Amino acid sequence: MTTLSEKISDQSTREVSKRVSQSVFDGSRLRVVLLVDVHDGAQQQFLEAYEQLCNQVAQVPGHVSDQLCQSIENPSQWLITSEWESAPPFLTWVNSEEHVRMVEPLHSCVRDTRSLRFHIVRETGGEPAGAASRRRLQASPRIGDGVIRHALTFTVKPGSEREVKRILSDYASPEAQVDETTRLCRTSLFMHGNRVVRAIEVRGDLLAALRHVARQPEVRAVEEALNPYLEQERDLDDQESARVFFTRAALPAVHHVTADELTEGERQALYYPARPDRGMRLAELLAQQDEAAAEDPDDPILRSTIFQRDDVVVRLVDVRPGPGARVLLPEPGRQDALGSLLDGEPVGMDLVTDRRSPDA
């Protein structure tokens, strides 16, 4: 039987470019760590919700195992770890409406959660050699640049696009320094039709940065001004409403590649509407093309980040300025490979604002 991770990719058998600092397409196993702070007196409710959740998750393709652990120092602190065949099946599940419904019973009994995802690079002992050989590890650790890349996407009511652009382009930037270890580096905001994509770059703790931004008065005012125009209603004063909105809006980065050149480029974004259930495969194909482009000294692309959730795929690139900078649309021949995965033509998105913090 072919597993989902094998369908997505078999890159564990080939050399991976050292220019790729982030990718979910290694084919290696994934370890997910969820830190949970449970409300006092809600432990039994939490355990019942967990039992229901783990029985459901066990049926999700790509899931291998999970563990529930309780702190020996603080009984309110719990740790849930799970293992997956690879990152793509986990991301497909965690970004689905099914996941939103599954975890809903947990939120009434927890004070705070934090999710961490890791590729398994090395391990020791515990399994027969045959079983271990079938379990794929990441070939080598990746060398990053210390920047975390994340995006949010949502849609606004048709006809409101011009007003939404005005709101999103006309506000003061929040304070860049979050704390001693975290700093906002860059925010790039694009629109195509009624879809908004906001990409952010952070050094340090992404969750701390997102919470910091949400507390800034200028950002809060913008978010409140947007509310009447959103297709998905939300109430930012209601913690559960805000959580569900931003969970659905999350657009994770699945691949990042950088050419050797350090030149500052022109930032552009391309939106790829994927056919149902083909978004991850489309993102992988684009990742392979950008990886090849990074090896070509004549290619105009300096950096590329691919974001994907369900059937939404966005490719954010920095290209060399000057003639030939608008080269994002697929070249003849490459479009054929994408055609069976696309539900429409890829289109360039309109840049609304691109803000960099000092010393980013």
Side-chain angles (χ1 to χ4, degrees), residues 2 23 46 61 91 126 131 135 162 164 168 213 224 226 245 269 271 294 308 323 332 343:
T2 302
S23 182
F46 169 72
L91 292 174
R135 295 190 161 196
R162 179 174 294 183
V164 168
L168 291 173
V213 170
E224 293 289 354
L226 282 177
F245 177 86
Y271 169 62
Q308 182 267 334
D343 190 21

Side-chain angles (χ1 to χ4, degrees), residues 33-71:
V33 178
L34 182 65
L35 303 172
V36 182
D37 187 8
V38 177
H39 287 300
D40 296 339
Q43 279 88 346
Q44 187 58 39
Q45 180 187 353
F46 169 72
L47 286 172
E48 292 171 359
Y50 169 77
E51 287 297 328
Q52 179 181 348
L53 176 62
C54 71
N55 289 334
Q56 294 172 322
V57 175
Q59 308 304 315
V60 176
H63 176 265
V64 177
S65 64
D66 56 65
Q67 289 181 323
L68 176 65
C69 310
Q70 185 178 25
S71 170

Side-chain angles (χ1 to χ4, degrees), residues 2 44 52 57 72 76 93 98 101 112 125 144 168 173 181 238 311 314 324 328 338 346 350:
T2 302
Q44 187 58 39
Q52 179 181 348
V57 175
I72 63 174
S76 295
W93 171 70
E98 179 186 18
R101 292 190 297 270
D112 193 21
L168 291 173
S173 298
T181 60
D238 182 300
D311 58 355
V314 173
L328 291 182
L338 301 176
D350 296 330

